[in-house]
Amino acid sequence: MVRFKNRYIAFEITFGDKSKKPVQLKVTTLHNAIQQKVQRLYGDFGVAAIKAGFTAKYCNIHTKIAIVKCRHGPHKFLINAIPIINDIAGRLVSVKILYVGATMKHCFLFIKKFQQQKLEQVWNTLKTETERENMKDALMTLTPAMKDCT
Amino acid sequence: MDIRESTGFYDLCVNVPENKIQNLYPVLSKLCEYGFKTIAINTDIDESVLGTNKKKKKKSGDSEISQGIVFETIDIENIRKEFDGRLKIFNRITFFCSDFAKTHILNHCSSLKKYDLYAFAPKTQNALQCACTHLNADIITLRPNLVSFKLNKKLYDQAIERGIHFEIQYVDLLNVEFRKTTIHYSHLFHTYGKSKNVILSSGSDDIKTIRNPYDLINLACLLGLNEVQAKASILYQCKRLLLRAERRHRGKAAFIIKDCTKNRSVIEEDSQCVKRLKA
């Protein structure tokens, strides 16, 4: 039995510009941004190669972490293209790949760990108990899709 | 009709430019110059040709009417004479269809028997599914200008098991609009079935869009074929396809027996020499 190998790429987006516009991060805009970058780097062939099974799976606005799925093989194009994305829907961004996994579950497990670490870093700087609770809520809340997998 | 032997590089889809046979000659001589040995001249048939007949069919006996449908066929006998010894020429029909029921009407057509190759171009996902599972065609060709298709492994395997070949036309790769979809489809063949039974043909009607067979082999690595498959896609795979088409025609498996008497006489001479030496 031959199965299709997939790769899930988890990455973090940091917004570069200082403007305090509310951050709009949608699955479709992310999808388009990546596709444009691959088009610039690899041309028509690259876009055609990643087309099969390429979807932006998950997008968290609070933590600014997103996951995209693609087939094993063309995922190499994505790994090269994602770090040099500097523009998502007109906003200046810098993107850092956190993890490349073979299942959604492992990606989410990694993200959980990653968020835990982040929380520990800021824990001491916060004074009151309510501030700490708020921070914990902001960082550790998972979308329903994520909860199913973990 | 005899089974005609075929050799060399194959280009199993050449369209007639503007439906004028005169324009076909330069294209064919160019193909010949590039080293193609066997080509197939294509005729496109849309389902609308049969659609008008469907109403009549209800009124009178079905098989008689459907047998009477005659669509424009190109007289290839003259072309065959012209290129005798240089090119082996077959004729092929491509049937564009969205409704699978129409294929039954076509199957009853007497003029279908005139064609050596029968290609099916589905217009809907449903037609593609039916074609993969039970249509008695030789080639399934996915045209990128129609709706986007979804393949899956099961469908692809079923088609392969029944000996249907999938076609990639490289004229689509030269077109900016369709390039992405064509590469996408050919990658689907690669992911679902390791590009079994894939053939590469030109599908061109213009002298400018014809390419050298060795360039095509190199081009094929873009389409997810490896080196062996790339060569096979314009050589052995096409040969197998033609034999299969012959089988569809006659309902029997076809193979070619070559006359080897020349070889035997050499051996006999040899043995006679040995006898003489012994004496």
Side-chain angles (χ1 to χ4, degrees):
Chain A
M1 174 64 191
V2 189
R3 66 198 167 85
F4 315 119
K5 287 186 188 171
N6 291 317
R7 285 293 176 270
Y8 297 87
I9 303 170
F11 52 91
E12 190 187 29
I13 302 160
T14 26
F15 286 85
D17 50 354
K18 298 282 191 311
S19 67
K20 288 189 176 166
K21 268 189 281 177
V23 181
Q24 287 286 322
L25 196 60
K26 276 184 189 160
V27 173
T28 42
T29 51
L30 195 66
H31 187 272
N32 289 341
I34 295 170
Q35 209 158 29
Q36 266 171 25
K37 206 71 208 178
V38 173
Q39 169 82 39
R40 293 288 283 284
L41 269 184
Y42 296 100
D44 287 337
F45 173 72
V47 175
I50 63 164
K51 198 176 172 188
F54 172 56
T55 42
K57 274 280 178 193
Y58 166 80
C59 235
N60 195 330
I61 301 163
H62 294 292
T63 56
K64 301 188 187 66
I65 287 176
I67 294 178
V68 291
K69 173 200 180 187
C70 68
R71 288 272 152 78
H72 177 263
H75 77 283
K76 285 176 186 163
F77 293 150
L78 281 185
I79 288 175
N80 292 340
I82 286 174
I84 55 171
I85 290 173
N86 51 10
D87 172 58
I88 293 177
R91 297 199 59 178
L92 195 68
V93 293
S94 70
V95 181
K96 181 179 143 200
I97 292 185
L98 300 174
Y99 186 73
V100 180
T103 56
M104 282 281 260
K105 193 180 170 184
H106 276 104
C107 274
F108 282 132
L109 285 176
F110 177 84
I111 290 172
K112 225 178 168 183
K113 236 188 216 167
F114 181 80
Q115 291 301 111
Q116 190 90 44
Q117 276 178 3
K118 226 177 187 181
L119 189 65
E120 279 165 13
Q121 276 174 14
V122 291
W123 194 256
N124 284 334
T125 58
L126 301 171
K127 295 283 150 57
T128 60
E129 202 59 30
T130 45
E131 263 182 333
R132 286 179 175 181
E133 281 300 315
N134 287 343
M135 201 64 195
K136 193 179 175 185
D137 276 351
L139 287 180
M140 298 303 286
T141 39
L142 312 172
T143 54
M146 199 163 166
K147 270 176 192 156
D148 292 339
C149 293
T150 47
Chain B
M1 195 185 76
D2 291 332
I3 299 175
R4 277 159 290 134
E5 221 182 307
S6 55
T7 52
F9 290 113
Y10 296 77
D11 186 354
L12 294 183
C13 183
V14 179
N15 289 316
V16 183
E18 292 155 12
N19 290 324
K20 278 175 195 157
I21 295 183
Q22 283 78 13
N23 303 345
L24 194 62
Y25 287 100
V27 175
L28 291 186
S29 42
K30 192 78 182 171
L31 280 168
C32 186
E33 188 191 308
Y34 276 150
F36 286 99
K37 288 277 164 53
T38 308
I39 61 136
I41 293 167
N42 183 36
T43 319
D44 283 341
I45 294 290
D46 197 81
E47 58 178 340
S48 55
V49 178
L50 303 175
T52 50
N53 285 283
K54 208 177 176 185
K55 285 166 197 164
K56 288 181 199 166
K57 191 184 130 187
K58 281 170 191 166
K59 288 171 193 165
S60 56
D62 48 346
S63 62
E64 275 177 39
I65 283 292
S66 54
Q67 265 180 6
I69 301 169
V70 181
F71 21 80
E72 285 176 52
T73 54
I74 307 148
D75 181 33
I76 62 163
E77 283 307 317
N78 287 331
I79 309 170
R80 265 190 194 144
K81 268 175 208 159
E82 178 83 17
F83 287 94
D84 188 36
R86 291 195 288 160
L87 283 176
K88 289 259 180 352
I89 294 170
F90 291 81
N91 53 358
R92 108 170 202 174
I93 183 172
T94 307
F95 182 52
F96 288 83
C97 176
S98 59
D99 182 13
F100 190 70
K102 298 259 171 66
T103 58
H104 296 299
I105 309 172
L106 188 73
N107 278 341
H108 287 294
C109 278
S110 54
S111 33
L112 183 66
K113 294 213 172 80
K114 285 186 209 155
Y115 293 94
D116 300 307
L117 285 168
Y118 174 23
F120 184 77
K123 273 179 174 176
T124 55
Q125 179 70 28
N126 214 356
L128 173 69
Q129 251 165 23
C130 293
C132 283
T133 48
H134 41 256
L135 181 68
N136 192 17
D138 303 315
I139 307 172
I140 292 177
T141 166
L142 299 179
R143 305 295 303 160
N145 49 351
L146 308 168
V147 287
S148 64
F149 298 108
K150 278 181 190 137
L151 264 172
N152 58 43
K153 190 171 161 47
K154 200 179 158 199
L155 266 187
Y156 190 80
D157 278 351
Q158 271 175 329
I160 297 296
E161 211 164 89
R162 296 170 55 248
I164 293 175
H165 286 67
F166 287 88
E167 186 190 40
I168 304 168
Q169 299 191 348
Y170 65 78
V171 74
D172 295 328
L173 290 176
L174 301 170
N175 192 330
V176 183
E177 263 177 85
F178 304 139
R179 194 179 293 146
K180 278 180 205 168
T181 351
T182 316
I183 298 176
H184 172 61
Y185 285 148
S186 43
H187 282 194
L188 286 185
F189 298 146
H190 175 75
T191 45
Y192 290 124
K194 293 184 179 165
S195 295
K196 279 185 221 110
N197 283 19
V198 169
I199 62 164
L200 191 64
S201 67
S202 74
S204 73
D205 55 359
D206 195 350
I207 213 164
K208 285 173 231 151
T209 55
I210 295 168
R211 296 290 181 270
N212 193 344
Y214 294 101
D215 291 343
L216 292 181
I217 293 174
N218 287 327
L219 177 76
C221 78
L222 264 192
L223 303 171
L225 305 167
N226 64 27
E227 286 165 21
V228 180
Q229 284 170 334
K231 195 178 174 191
S233 72
I234 55 172
L235 266 176
Y236 316 116
Q237 208 62 258
C238 296
K239 190 170 190 171
R240 275 184 56 195
L241 172 63
L242 285 172
L243 285 180
R244 193 203 112 84
E246 206 69 48
R247 186 179 86 186
R248 181 179 56 82
H249 260 271
R250 295 162 196 249
K252 282 169 191 161
F255 57 92
I256 294 168
I257 300 174
K258 263 191 186 170
D259 193 7
C260 298
T261 43
K262 249 186 194 168
N263 285 340
R264 220 175 66 197
S265 69
V266 172
I267 295 164
E268 274 172 7
E269 276 172 26
D270 209 37
S271 60
Q272 278 170 2
C273 275
V274 173
K275 272 178 198 168
R276 257 182 263 152
L277 281 173
K278 276 181 184 171

